[in-house]
Amino acid sequence: MSPRGRPRAFDREAALDAAMRMFWEYGYEATSVSGLTAAMGIGSPSLYAAFGDKEALFREAVEHYVRHYGWQAVDELDREPVVRRAVQAMLLANAGLYTDPALPRGCMVVDAATNCAPGNDAVREFLAGQRRVTRERIAARLQRAVAEGELPADADLDALVGFCETVRNGLSNLARDGRSAGELRSIVDLAMNAWPDR
């Protein structure tokens, strides 16, 4: 009689990355637990033991996305000293991320819960909270630009933040529709023509 072995260990980070890609591609509601376990290479008992339920896994997958992908574009705001170039760099980085052939198209935080049943309001609100964090980072960068004299003191910062959000979200939607990186970059260049001069 052979001794009973320990359950086979799995690479938690790789499994989380696989779950992220499933949610990113198909959205929260259309992604089933059976689809997740197949993509992650684990059984449902391991999924529940390691991550909790589907919603808990989704939340962790979104945080994984934000850490590894989402913040890379937003971080461009702090790399460029000139605010107009900083916003343009962020939007161009979004265009590149949303059309990267190695990844699902679009933005996970924008697209993963656009249509949710009432029972999943918490999931939709969680993603709205993630988008609010990005909005706050954009707002902080624009406030700094006002303080440094790059934007006029009476600039409508709410509208400018909304402009950035609208372009980012629109790029995600167009990427999901199959538009190319070059097309998205052209849209960013055109959108930046609306940026206010000092």
Side-chain angles (χ1 to χ4, degrees):
M1 184 175 187
S2 61
R4 297 177 71 175
R6 293 177 59 184
R8 185 177 62 168
F10 68 93
D11 183 334
R12 192 179 193 283
E13 190 74 2
L16 182 59
D17 192 76
M20 174 201 71
R21 287 167 184 266
M22 287 287 291
F23 285 126
W24 188 350
E25 175 118 22
Y26 301 109
Y28 178 76
E29 290 202 350
T31 302
S32 65
V33 171
S34 61
L36 287 165
T37 56
M40 297 164 76
I42 59 175
S44 54
S46 295
L47 184 153
Y48 292 118
F51 299 101
D53 62 11
K54 177 183 167 183
E55 183 178 332
L57 173 60
F58 176 75
R59 289 170 180 264
E60 192 168 342
V62 168
E63 288 163 0
H64 179 83
Y65 168 86
V66 169
R67 274 193 318 274
H68 292 279
Y69 302 101
W71 281 139
Q72 291 179 16
V74 181
D75 286 345
E76 292 294 333
L77 291 171
D78 299 319
R79 292 192 184 104
E80 282 285 352
V82 177
V83 69
R84 186 185 191 284
R85 289 205 309 259
V87 169
Q88 186 170 24
M90 175 189 69
L91 295 174
L92 289 171
N94 285 131
L97 170 63
Y98 299 163
T99 56
D100 186 332
L103 298 167
R105 293 179 77 81
C107 174
M108 182 181 185
V109 173
V110 170
D111 298 321
T114 51
N115 295 311
C116 274
N120 290 319
D121 284 343
V123 169
R124 189 171 53 245
E125 182 52 39
F126 172 69
L127 288 183
Q130 294 289 330
R131 292 191 294 272
R132 280 193 293 274
V133 173
T134 299
R135 181 166 52 241
E136 288 162 7
R137 284 194 63 185
I138 296 169
R141 181 63 183 87
L142 300 187
Q143 287 161 2
R144 191 179 106 200
V146 169
E148 293 173 353
E150 279 196 272
L151 288 173
D154 61 352
D156 188 343
L157 295 190
D158 286 341
L160 284 174
V161 172
F163 166 83
C164 294
E165 291 178 293
T166 300
V167 176
R168 281 167 48 91
N169 294 353
L171 293 174
S172 177
N173 291 337
L174 291 173
R176 297 283 288 192
D177 285 345
R179 304 290 282 275
S180 70
E183 289 176 291
L184 297 194
R185 286 194 295 269
S186 295
I187 290 165
V188 171
D189 290 343
L190 188 61
M192 293 310 298
N193 289 336
W195 194 256
D197 293 323
R198 178 67 181 95

